[in-house]
Amino acid sequence: MGLFSKKVDYPELGDDSPVAEQINEVEGALKTLMNQVSDPLEVIPADNQAYVFIGKPPKKFGVAVIEGGAVQSFVAAAKEKGLEPVKIQKLNEQFRDAYIQNQDAQRYKASIAGKEIVVTPCAELAREVSQIMGCM
């Protein structure tokens, strides 16, 4: 969630905001992901998809993309494409760097299926994550 904190109390995401609408569009996939992992989720909404940091970025985390109602982890996608572990590690470091560079972005909390998630509507972070995903 936050860079150095265990739990930050972010403001509530308003139900009438455009970002809330983006979260509603991926809610089903988020519920599926929540059933698969117990780690905290931070969602970065983007055009036609959402990126999810799973765990506690920037230290220990994974990344997934939600597109077309489906969730795919970065590591699974990288392995499908035959990327070497060294390349996967390099891309993970780029995700970490992108997260750190955007650590001051406004974050909100939202509730999905009774669980709290963090929502980071940061166009720059979404763009950087998209570029990194495109390097696969």
Side-chain angles (χ1 to χ4, degrees):
M1 290 201 215
L3 186 60
F4 297 110
S5 61
K6 297 222 185 271
K7 179 98 170 157
V8 177
D9 192 24
Y10 298 114
E12 193 76 37
L13 181 65
D15 290 336
D16 58 348
S17 74
V19 175
E21 190 175 305
Q22 288 178 297
I23 296 301
N24 288 338
E25 290 173 9
V26 296
E27 184 174 353
L30 284 171
K31 286 178 183 177
T32 299
L33 184 58
M34 290 173 154
N35 288 332
Q36 296 171 351
V37 301
S38 60
D39 292 321
L41 301 181
E42 182 168 346
V43 181
I44 297 88
D47 294 333
N48 303 314
Q49 70 256 355
Y51 302 105
V52 184
F53 280 84
I54 303 164
K56 298 180 180 177
K59 292 185 179 186
K60 186 176 179 173
F61 67 93
V63 177
V65 63
I66 298 173
E67 192 166 24
V71 179
Q72 184 170 37
S73 80
F74 161 71
V75 172
K79 287 180 179 178
E80 276 182 20
K81 293 188 179 212
L83 293 183
E84 297 292 324
V86 172
K87 175 75 172 174
I88 293 172
Q89 181 61 34
K90 182 179 177 189
L91 293 174
N92 269 325
E93 289 170 11
Q94 290 177 5
F95 286 128
R96 179 177 286 107
D97 291 344
Y99 188 90
I100 290 170
Q101 289 171 8
N102 292 283
Q103 68 188 4
D104 293 331
Q106 179 65 55
R107 287 171 167 77
Y108 299 91
K109 65 182 174 183
S111 182
I112 303 281
K115 294 182 183 177
E116 194 171 283
I117 63 167
V118 174
V119 179
T120 307
C122 176
E124 180 63 20
L125 181 55
R127 185 188 61 75
E128 289 180 32
V129 171
S130 177
Q131 284 181 336
I132 296 164
M133 295 291 272
C135 290
M136 288 196 300

